[in-house]
Amino acid sequence: MNGIGTRSKNRPPTQSSEQGPEPHDIRSRELDTKEYELGMIENAVKDKERRLQIQESNLRQQLEQIEKAKQLLDCEREQFDQTVSAREEELTTRERNLEKRWQDSEITRLDEFPPTPRYTSITRPATNFSYAPLGGPLGGGSGGPGEPPTLKVSFREATESVPYFDGYNIPLAQFTRACRRAREIVPSNAERNLTKLLINKLGKRAYYAVEDEPCDSVTELID
């Protein structure tokens, strides 16, 4: 009995039948998990790239449509500007023609019926001597005393030397010199009518400057 007990004590321990998983199995499962996760990430990236490509294609199409619409708008705007410019030029030409026709009719009327100056009879005081002015009758003209002076030139001739002035086309000094020359060749009693005709020589900015101003003389017009 003692021998049996001694042999049982000296026997090496047997390995347990229940052992844990091997290390290489754990490593293999970890690699499989990582590979699956990487595959999911790769699929997500590819799907996102595909959506971005679709969006880029849509944006390119929209950009092309915008460019075409812009070109069409620019073309229509250019045609509109040309139409407006032609219309403005036509209206300006018609306005000038109407002004010229009205001015010609007014000049013709004034030439046919020149203004008659008003004369005020003055009673001279009695004197004890007689006086005869040198050079003949009053004014040195061919008519008798008190007769109105004869018109030197017609209104048409006086205004034809005055150019059209809109504030930009010619220098102001050139227009004022022409107005003074026109005033010098008409009688003083006709200056008011001459001034009205000279106003018709103005246009745009120059006309607006005197539109509401009383101008009964050439001096008031050009000052």
Side-chain angles (χ1 to χ4, degrees):
M1 294 294 292
N2 293 332
I4 296 172
T6 303
R7 287 194 299 269
S8 62
K9 290 181 180 180
N10 295 329
R11 183 182 300 172
T14 59
Q15 293 181 352
S16 176
S17 60
E18 296 179 0
Q19 295 181 351
E22 295 294 334
H24 66 274
D25 293 336
I26 297 174
R27 183 65 176 171
S28 177
R29 284 197 295 270
E30 290 178 353
L31 291 176
D32 292 341
T33 303
K34 288 184 178 181
E35 184 178 2
Y36 174 77
E37 291 175 352
L38 289 176
M40 294 292 293
I41 294 173
E42 184 178 2
N43 291 333
V45 170
K46 289 181 179 180
D47 184 62
K48 189 172 184 179
E49 288 179 350
R50 185 171 58 255
R51 290 198 302 269
L52 289 176
Q53 289 177 356
I54 295 174
Q55 292 179 0
E56 182 180 3
S57 177
N58 294 334
L59 290 175
R60 288 183 181 276
Q61 292 178 359
Q62 293 178 3
L63 182 60
E64 291 177 357
Q65 293 177 357
I66 292 174
E67 289 294 335
K68 291 180 180 179
K70 183 180 178 182
Q71 292 177 0
L72 180 61
L73 180 62
D74 292 340
C75 182
E76 292 178 352
R77 181 179 299 172
E78 184 178 359
Q79 293 178 354
F80 176 77
D81 292 341
Q82 292 177 355
T83 303
V84 170
S85 299
R87 184 62 175 171
E88 289 179 349
E89 185 67 23
E90 179 184 356
L91 292 177
T92 302
T93 303
R94 290 177 59 186
E95 181 181 3
R96 290 182 180 178
N97 291 336
L98 290 175
E99 289 179 355
K100 189 175 185 306
R101 289 174 57 186
W102 182 89
Q103 184 177 359
D104 291 342
S105 63
E106 188 70 10
I107 290 174
T108 302
R109 183 183 66 82
L110 292 175
D111 286 342
E112 293 177 354
F113 305 99
T116 303
R118 296 180 179 179
Y119 293 93
T120 304
S121 60
I122 301 176
T123 304
R124 295 185 178 182
T127 57
N128 296 327
F129 58 88
S130 60
Y131 173 76
L134 296 176
L138 179 63
S142 58
E147 291 184 359
T150 57
L151 193 64
K152 298 179 182 179
V153 296
S154 65
F155 282 103
R156 184 184 302 276
E157 294 172 343
T159 55
E160 281 181 352
S161 61
V162 180
Y164 172 80
F165 179 59
D166 61 5
Y168 302 99
N169 58 332
I170 60 174
L172 176 61
Q174 180 180 349
F175 178 75
T176 56
R177 285 196 302 268
C179 290
R180 291 191 182 97
R181 287 196 298 267
R183 179 183 59 185
E184 292 173 356
I185 61 178
V186 299
S188 58
N189 62 304
E191 183 176 358
R192 187 173 185 275
N193 291 327
L194 175 65
T195 304
K196 300 303 180 183
L197 295 176
L198 293 178
I199 292 176
N200 295 326
K201 291 285 187 176
L202 302 177
K204 297 182 181 179
R205 178 185 177 186
Y207 178 77
Y208 298 147
V210 300
E211 183 179 10
D212 299 326
E213 298 294 333
C215 296
D216 294 330
S217 66
V218 176
T219 302
E220 293 178 353
L221 175 63
I222 62 179
D223 286 348

